[in-house]
Amino acid sequence: MNTTIVVYVHGLWFTGRESFLLRRRIAREIGAEDRVFSYASVTAMTAANVAALGEFVSRLRADALHIVAHSMGGVLVLKLFDNPPAMPPGRIVLLGSPLNGSRAAQNLARLPWGSTILGHTIREEVLPGRPRRWQGAREIGVIAGNAAVGLGRLVGPLHEPSDGTVLVAETNLAGATDKIVLPVSHTGMLFSALAARQAAAFLRDGRFVR
């Protein structure tokens, strides 16, 4: 019997436990097992977290291994695939990941202690606002939200379509297989049945449902 595993990589200030509904829905849709990669999103260096993620996925034994990453977790996943470890084939879905910088993070970084609470990965990989291009062998799908309800609006105006924390434009990824924008907020997408169905569709078929 073939085994499929979906690895979830959480974002800044989260632990992975918040993804319970998302993981359960995706696993049920595609007949998979789920795993959570939990890491120190603020205090650990980017390179250390990427190395730990690589060790985590390389230990898993399955016929197919998919990755679903939320927010900053998507940045770590892209860094992992700069030099990927050996792992089973699969697809990747990024949810609300700030792949081209983050206006909300820039606004927060200007405040006292803002840069400190954002942590190393945001300072190293997000605040510079470098455009990214996917050149990996795996198919990768991007989900963005346009329900502008979130903490990002509390630290300054965003002035563009966003999920309340990350601009839709900031989730763009050149070379991505597919992208879809859903009526969900940055945190709300983790609890959205629609977002889970779309993520599962991409993992299963390599495209979102329209």
PDB file of all heavy atoms in Angstrom, residues 31-60:
ATOM      1  N   GLY A  31      -5.942  11.207   1.331  1.00  0.00           N
ATOM      2  CA  GLY A  31      -5.595   9.918   1.905  1.00  0.00           C
ATOM      3  C   GLY A  31      -4.160   9.854   2.387  1.00  0.00           C
ATOM      4  O   GLY A  31      -3.427   8.913   2.059  1.00  0.00           O
ATOM      5  N   ALA A  32      -3.771  10.851   3.176  1.00  0.00           N
ATOM      6  CA  ALA A  32      -2.379  10.968   3.604  1.00  0.00           C
ATOM      7  C   ALA A  32      -2.253  10.966   5.119  1.00  0.00           C
ATOM      8  O   ALA A  32      -3.237  11.129   5.856  1.00  0.00           O
ATOM      9  CB  ALA A  32      -1.768  12.252   3.048  1.00  0.00           C
ATOM     10  N   GLU A  33      -1.046  10.778   5.586  1.00  0.00           N
ATOM     11  CA  GLU A  33      -0.684  11.024   6.972  1.00  0.00           C
ATOM     12  C   GLU A  33      -0.107  12.440   7.054  1.00  0.00           C
ATOM     13  O   GLU A  33       0.373  12.971   6.048  1.00  0.00           O
ATOM     14  CB  GLU A  33       0.372  10.018   7.447  1.00  0.00           C
ATOM     15  CG  GLU A  33      -0.070   8.569   7.345  1.00  0.00           C
ATOM     16  CD  GLU A  33       1.073   7.618   7.678  1.00  0.00           C
ATOM     17  OE1 GLU A  33       2.118   8.088   8.181  1.00  0.00           O
ATOM     18  OE2 GLU A  33       0.913   6.413   7.419  1.00  0.00           O
ATOM     19  N   ASP A  34      -0.162  13.056   8.238  1.00  0.00           N
ATOM     20  CA  ASP A  34       0.401  14.397   8.360  1.00  0.00           C
ATOM     21  C   ASP A  34       1.452  14.444   9.459  1.00  0.00           C
ATOM     22  O   ASP A  34       1.392  13.679  10.425  1.00  0.00           O
ATOM     23  CB  ASP A  34      -0.695  15.434   8.618  1.00  0.00           C
ATOM     24  CG  ASP A  34      -1.370  15.246   9.963  1.00  0.00           C
ATOM     25  OD1 ASP A  34      -2.372  14.496  10.039  1.00  0.00           O
ATOM     26  OD2 ASP A  34      -0.907  15.858  10.939  1.00  0.00           O
ATOM     27  N   ARG A  35       2.401  15.337   9.279  1.00  0.00           N
ATOM     28  CA  ARG A  35       3.461  15.579  10.247  1.00  0.00           C
ATOM     29  C   ARG A  35       3.640  17.085  10.378  1.00  0.00           C
ATOM     30  O   ARG A  35       3.380  17.847   9.433  1.00  0.00           O
ATOM     31  CB  ARG A  35       4.786  14.966   9.803  1.00  0.00           C
ATOM     32  CG  ARG A  35       4.750  13.466   9.556  1.00  0.00           C
ATOM     33  CD  ARG A  35       4.670  12.665  10.844  1.00  0.00           C
ATOM     34  NE  ARG A  35       4.855  11.254  10.583  1.00  0.00           N
ATOM     35  CZ  ARG A  35       3.890  10.409  10.205  1.00  0.00           C
ATOM     36  NH1 ARG A  35       2.651  10.875  10.035  1.00  0.00           N
ATOM     37  NH2 ARG A  35       4.143   9.133   9.990  1.00  0.00           N
ATOM     38  N   VAL A  36       4.140  17.528  11.521  1.00  0.00           N
ATOM     39  CA  VAL A  36       4.414  18.945  11.757  1.00  0.00           C
ATOM     40  C   VAL A  36       5.894  19.130  12.024  1.00  0.00           C
ATOM     41  O   VAL A  36       6.475  18.430  12.864  1.00  0.00           O
ATOM     42  CB  VAL A  36       3.619  19.487  12.957  1.00  0.00           C
ATOM     43  CG1 VAL A  36       4.017  20.929  13.258  1.00  0.00           C
ATOM     44  CG2 VAL A  36       2.124  19.415  12.690  1.00  0.00           C
ATOM     45  N   PHE A  37       6.505  20.057  11.304  1.00  0.00           N
ATOM     46  CA  PHE A  37       7.865  20.473  11.618  1.00  0.00           C
ATOM     47  C   PHE A  37       7.774  21.743  12.450  1.00  0.00           C
ATOM     48  O   PHE A  37       7.314  22.772  11.978  1.00  0.00           O
ATOM     49  CB  PHE A  37       8.683  20.745  10.348  1.00  0.00           C
ATOM     50  CG  PHE A  37      10.026  21.352  10.644  1.00  0.00           C
ATOM     51  CD1 PHE A  37      11.025  20.605  11.248  1.00  0.00           C
ATOM     52  CD2 PHE A  37      10.286  22.689  10.338  1.00  0.00           C
ATOM     53  CE1 PHE A  37      12.263  21.171  11.545  1.00  0.00           C
ATOM     54  CE2 PHE A  37      11.516  23.260  10.629  1.00  0.00           C
ATOM     55  CZ  PHE A  37      12.507  22.494  11.230  1.00  0.00           C
ATOM     56  N   SER A  38       8.175  21.655  13.714  1.00  0.00           N
ATOM     57  CA  SER A  38       8.123  22.792  14.616  1.00  0.00           C
ATOM     58  C   SER A  38       9.538  23.309  14.868  1.00  0.00           C
ATOM     59  O   SER A  38      10.471  22.511  15.015  1.00  0.00           O
ATOM     60  CB  SER A  38       7.474  22.386  15.941  1.00  0.00           C
ATOM     61  OG  SER A  38       7.262  23.517  16.763  1.00  0.00           O
ATOM     62  N   TYR A  39       9.694  24.606  14.916  1.00  0.00           N
ATOM     63  CA  TYR A  39      11.011  25.208  15.038  1.00  0.00           C
ATOM     64  C   TYR A  39      10.905  26.535  15.771  1.00  0.00           C
ATOM     65  O   TYR A  39       9.812  27.085  15.951  1.00  0.00           O
ATOM     66  CB  TYR A  39      11.627  25.418  13.649  1.00  0.00           C
ATOM     67  CG  TYR A  39      10.839  26.376  12.776  1.00  0.00           C
ATOM     68  CD1 TYR A  39      11.222  27.703  12.634  1.00  0.00           C
ATOM     69  CD2 TYR A  39       9.684  25.950  12.094  1.00  0.00           C
ATOM     70  CE1 TYR A  39      10.489  28.585  11.844  1.00  0.00           C
ATOM     71  CE2 TYR A  39       8.954  26.818  11.312  1.00  0.00           C
ATOM     72  CZ  TYR A  39       9.355  28.136  11.187  1.00  0.00           C
ATOM     73  OH  TYR A  39       8.632  29.011  10.421  1.00  0.00           O
ATOM     74  N   ALA A  40      12.045  27.059  16.200  1.00  0.00           N
ATOM     75  CA  ALA A  40      12.086  28.348  16.898  1.00  0.00           C
ATOM     76  C   ALA A  40      12.064  29.455  15.854  1.00  0.00           C
ATOM     77  O   ALA A  40      13.097  29.779  15.256  1.00  0.00           O
ATOM     78  CB  ALA A  40      13.342  28.434  17.759  1.00  0.00           C
ATOM     79  N   SER A  41      10.890  30.036  15.636  1.00  0.00           N
ATOM     80  CA  SER A  41      10.708  30.957  14.512  1.00  0.00           C
ATOM     81  C   SER A  41      11.322  32.332  14.745  1.00  0.00           C
ATOM     82  O   SER A  41      11.491  33.094  13.792  1.00  0.00           O
ATOM     83  CB  SER A  41       9.215  31.107  14.189  1.00  0.00           C
ATOM     84  OG  SER A  41       8.528  31.732  15.258  1.00  0.00           O
ATOM     85  N   VAL A  42      11.650  32.665  15.980  1.00  0.00           N
ATOM     86  CA  VAL A  42      12.220  33.974  16.283  1.00  0.00           C
ATOM     87  C   VAL A  42      13.693  33.878  16.654  1.00  0.00           C
ATOM     88  O   VAL A  42      14.529  34.614  16.127  1.00  0.00           O
ATOM     89  CB  VAL A  42      11.439  34.668  17.433  1.00  0.00           C
ATOM     90  CG1 VAL A  42      12.111  35.977  17.849  1.00  0.00           C
ATOM     91  CG2 VAL A  42      10.000  34.933  17.005  1.00  0.00           C
ATOM     92  N   THR A  43      14.030  32.954  17.549  1.00  0.00           N
ATOM     93  CA  THR A  43      15.367  32.957  18.144  1.00  0.00           C
ATOM     94  C   THR A  43      16.426  32.214  17.351  1.00  0.00           C
ATOM     95  O   THR A  43      17.612  32.516  17.466  1.00  0.00           O
ATOM     96  CB  THR A  43      15.313  32.373  19.565  1.00  0.00           C
ATOM     97  OG1 THR A  43      14.775  31.040  19.495  1.00  0.00           O
ATOM     98  CG2 THR A  43      14.432  33.233  20.466  1.00  0.00           C
ATOM     99  N   ALA A  44      16.039  31.228  16.547  1.00  0.00           N
ATOM    100  CA  ALA A  44      17.022  30.439  15.809  1.00  0.00           C
ATOM    101  C   ALA A  44      17.390  31.108  14.487  1.00  0.00           C
ATOM    102  O   ALA A  44      16.568  31.786  13.864  1.00  0.00           O
ATOM    103  CB  ALA A  44      16.500  29.029  15.549  1.00  0.00           C
ATOM    104  N   MET A  45      18.617  30.896  14.060  1.00  0.00           N
ATOM    105  CA  MET A  45      19.072  31.432  12.782  1.00  0.00           C
ATOM    106  C   MET A  45      18.395  30.685  11.632  1.00  0.00           C
ATOM    107  O   MET A  45      18.041  29.507  11.748  1.00  0.00           O
ATOM    108  CB  MET A  45      20.583  31.309  12.654  1.00  0.00           C
ATOM    109  CG  MET A  45      21.356  32.028  13.747  1.00  0.00           C
ATOM    110  SD  MET A  45      21.147  33.819  13.692  1.00  0.00           S
ATOM    111  CE  MET A  45      22.055  34.212  12.194  1.00  0.00           C
ATOM    112  N   THR A  46      18.260  31.348  10.512  1.00  0.00           N
ATOM    113  CA  THR A  46      17.631  30.747   9.340  1.00  0.00           C
ATOM    114  C   THR A  46      18.322  29.453   8.941  1.00  0.00           C
ATOM    115  O   THR A  46      17.671  28.426   8.707  1.00  0.00           O
ATOM    116  CB  THR A  46      17.659  31.724   8.155  1.00  0.00           C
ATOM    117  OG1 THR A  46      17.035  32.944   8.533  1.00  0.00           O
ATOM    118  CG2 THR A  46      16.941  31.133   6.953  1.00  0.00           C
ATOM    119  N   ALA A  47      19.643  29.481   8.858  1.00  0.00           N
ATOM    120  CA  ALA A  47      20.395  28.311   8.405  1.00  0.00           C
ATOM    121  C   ALA A  47      20.156  27.114   9.318  1.00  0.00           C
ATOM    122  O   ALA A  47      20.049  25.969   8.846  1.00  0.00           O
ATOM    123  CB  ALA A  47      21.878  28.634   8.337  1.00  0.00           C
ATOM    124  N   ALA A  48      20.054  27.358  10.621  1.00  0.00           N
ATOM    125  CA  ALA A  48      19.827  26.262  11.562  1.00  0.00           C
ATOM    126  C   ALA A  48      18.445  25.661  11.359  1.00  0.00           C
ATOM    127  O   ALA A  48      18.278  24.425  11.388  1.00  0.00           O
ATOM    128  CB  ALA A  48      19.989  26.761  12.991  1.00  0.00           C
ATOM    129  N   ASN A  49      17.438  26.495  11.152  1.00  0.00           N
ATOM    130  CA  ASN A  49      16.083  25.980  10.934  1.00  0.00           C
ATOM    131  C   ASN A  49      15.963  25.237   9.605  1.00  0.00           C
ATOM    132  O   ASN A  49      15.278  24.217   9.515  1.00  0.00           O
ATOM    133  CB  ASN A  49      15.076  27.122  10.993  1.00  0.00           C
ATOM    134  CG  ASN A  49      14.767  27.556  12.420  1.00  0.00           C
ATOM    135  OD1 ASN A  49      14.840  26.760  13.351  1.00  0.00           O
ATOM    136  ND2 ASN A  49      14.429  28.824  12.591  1.00  0.00           N
ATOM    137  N   VAL A  50      16.623  25.739   8.581  1.00  0.00           N
ATOM    138  CA  VAL A  50      16.593  25.056   7.287  1.00  0.00           C
ATOM    139  C   VAL A  50      17.276  23.698   7.389  1.00  0.00           C
ATOM    140  O   VAL A  50      16.782  22.692   6.857  1.00  0.00           O
ATOM    141  CB  VAL A  50      17.256  25.925   6.200  1.00  0.00           C
ATOM    142  CG1 VAL A  50      17.436  25.141   4.908  1.00  0.00           C
ATOM    143  CG2 VAL A  50      16.412  27.171   5.934  1.00  0.00           C
ATOM    144  N   ALA A  51      18.404  23.640   8.088  1.00  0.00           N
ATOM    145  CA  ALA A  51      19.100  22.370   8.277  1.00  0.00           C
ATOM    146  C   ALA A  51      18.232  21.380   9.057  1.00  0.00           C
ATOM    147  O   ALA A  51      18.176  20.186   8.719  1.00  0.00           O
ATOM    148  CB  ALA A  51      20.427  22.602   8.998  1.00  0.00           C
ATOM    149  N   ALA A  52      17.561  21.871  10.093  1.00  0.00           N
ATOM    150  CA  ALA A  52      16.694  21.002  10.887  1.00  0.00           C
ATOM    151  C   ALA A  52      15.519  20.493  10.055  1.00  0.00           C
ATOM    152  O   ALA A  52      15.117  19.323  10.170  1.00  0.00           O
ATOM    153  CB  ALA A  52      16.192  21.750  12.116  1.00  0.00           C
ATOM    154  N   LEU A  53      14.965  21.356   9.196  1.00  0.00           N
ATOM    155  CA  LEU A  53      13.888  20.930   8.305  1.00  0.00           C
ATOM    156  C   LEU A  53      14.373  19.861   7.347  1.00  0.00           C
ATOM    157  O   LEU A  53      13.683  18.865   7.094  1.00  0.00           O
ATOM    158  CB  LEU A  53      13.332  22.130   7.543  1.00  0.00           C
ATOM    159  CG  LEU A  53      12.274  21.843   6.477  1.00  0.00           C
ATOM    160  CD1 LEU A  53      11.072  21.121   7.067  1.00  0.00           C
ATOM    161  CD2 LEU A  53      11.844  23.148   5.795  1.00  0.00           C
ATOM    162  N   GLY A  54      15.563  20.038   6.813  1.00  0.00           N
ATOM    163  CA  GLY A  54      16.128  19.044   5.917  1.00  0.00           C
ATOM    164  C   GLY A  54      16.303  17.695   6.593  1.00  0.00           C
ATOM    165  O   GLY A  54      16.003  16.638   6.009  1.00  0.00           O
ATOM    166  N   GLU A  55      16.780  17.700   7.825  1.00  0.00           N
ATOM    167  CA  GLU A  55      16.935  16.449   8.575  1.00  0.00           C
ATOM    168  C   GLU A  55      15.581  15.805   8.851  1.00  0.00           C
ATOM    169  O   GLU A  55      15.424  14.585   8.774  1.00  0.00           O
ATOM    170  CB  GLU A  55      17.677  16.722   9.883  1.00  0.00           C
ATOM    171  CG  GLU A  55      19.131  17.136   9.693  1.00  0.00           C
ATOM    172  CD  GLU A  55      19.781  17.524  11.003  1.00  0.00           C
ATOM    173  OE1 GLU A  55      19.126  17.370  12.069  1.00  0.00           O
ATOM    174  OE2 GLU A  55      20.944  17.974  10.974  1.00  0.00           O
ATOM    175  N   PHE A  56      14.602  16.645   9.168  1.00  0.00           N
ATOM    176  CA  PHE A  56      13.258  16.150   9.476  1.00  0.00           C
ATOM    177  C   PHE A  56      12.661  15.410   8.283  1.00  0.00           C
ATOM    178  O   PHE A  56      12.181  14.270   8.408  1.00  0.00           O
ATOM    179  CB  PHE A  56      12.378  17.326   9.891  1.00  0.00           C
ATOM    180  CG  PHE A  56      10.979  16.948  10.285  1.00  0.00           C
ATOM    181  CD1 PHE A  56      10.693  16.599  11.592  1.00  0.00           C
ATOM    182  CD2 PHE A  56       9.944  16.962   9.356  1.00  0.00           C
ATOM    183  CE1 PHE A  56       9.390  16.264  11.969  1.00  0.00           C
ATOM    184  CE2 PHE A  56       8.648  16.629   9.722  1.00  0.00           C
ATOM    185  CZ  PHE A  56       8.376  16.273  11.037  1.00  0.00           C
ATOM    186  N   VAL A  57      12.661  16.044   7.115  1.00  0.00           N
ATOM    187  CA  VAL A  57      12.019  15.408   5.955  1.00  0.00           C
ATOM    188  C   VAL A  57      12.833  14.221   5.443  1.00  0.00           C
ATOM    189  O   VAL A  57      12.263  13.260   4.911  1.00  0.00           O
ATOM    190  CB  VAL A  57      11.770  16.432   4.822  1.00  0.00           C
ATOM    191  CG1 VAL A  57      10.795  17.500   5.268  1.00  0.00           C
ATOM    192  CG2 VAL A  57      13.075  17.055   4.325  1.00  0.00           C
ATOM    193  N   SER A  58      14.137  14.267   5.605  1.00  0.00           N
ATOM    194  CA  SER A  58      14.964  13.169   5.092  1.00  0.00           C
ATOM    195  C   SER A  58      14.784  11.890   5.900  1.00  0.00           C
ATOM    196  O   SER A  58      15.098  10.799   5.407  1.00  0.00           O
ATOM    197  CB  SER A  58      16.439  13.590   5.065  1.00  0.00           C
ATOM    198  OG  SER A  58      16.936  13.777   6.379  1.00  0.00           O
ATOM    199  N   ARG A  59      14.260  12.016   7.122  1.00  0.00           N
ATOM    200  CA  ARG A  59      14.038  10.833   7.951  1.00  0.00           C
ATOM    201  C   ARG A  59      12.701  10.150   7.660  1.00  0.00           C
ATOM    202  O   ARG A  59      12.476   9.018   8.095  1.00  0.00           O
ATOM    203  CB  ARG A  59      14.088  11.204   9.442  1.00  0.00           C
ATOM    204  CG  ARG A  59      15.456  11.584   9.949  1.00  0.00           C
ATOM    205  CD  ARG A  59      15.489  11.572  11.470  1.00  0.00           C
ATOM    206  NE  ARG A  59      14.518  12.494  12.045  1.00  0.00           N
ATOM    207  CZ  ARG A  59      14.792  13.744  12.401  1.00  0.00           C
ATOM    208  NH1 ARG A  59      16.020  14.220  12.219  1.00  0.00           N
ATOM    209  NH2 ARG A  59      13.860  14.512  12.926  1.00  0.00           N
ATOM    210  N   LEU A  60      11.820  10.836   6.952  1.00  0.00           N
ATOM    211  CA  LEU A  60      10.494  10.285   6.690  1.00  0.00           C
ATOM    212  C   LEU A  60      10.534   9.268   5.556  1.00  0.00           C
ATOM    213  O   LEU A  60      11.209   9.472   4.551  1.00  0.00           O
ATOM    214  CB  LEU A  60       9.515  11.411   6.340  1.00  0.00           C
ATOM    215  CG  LEU A  60       9.287  12.455   7.442  1.00  0.00           C
ATOM    216  CD1 LEU A  60       8.391  13.574   6.931  1.00  0.00           C
ATOM    217  CD2 LEU A  60       8.690  11.821   8.687  1.00  0.00           C
TER     218      LEU A  60
END
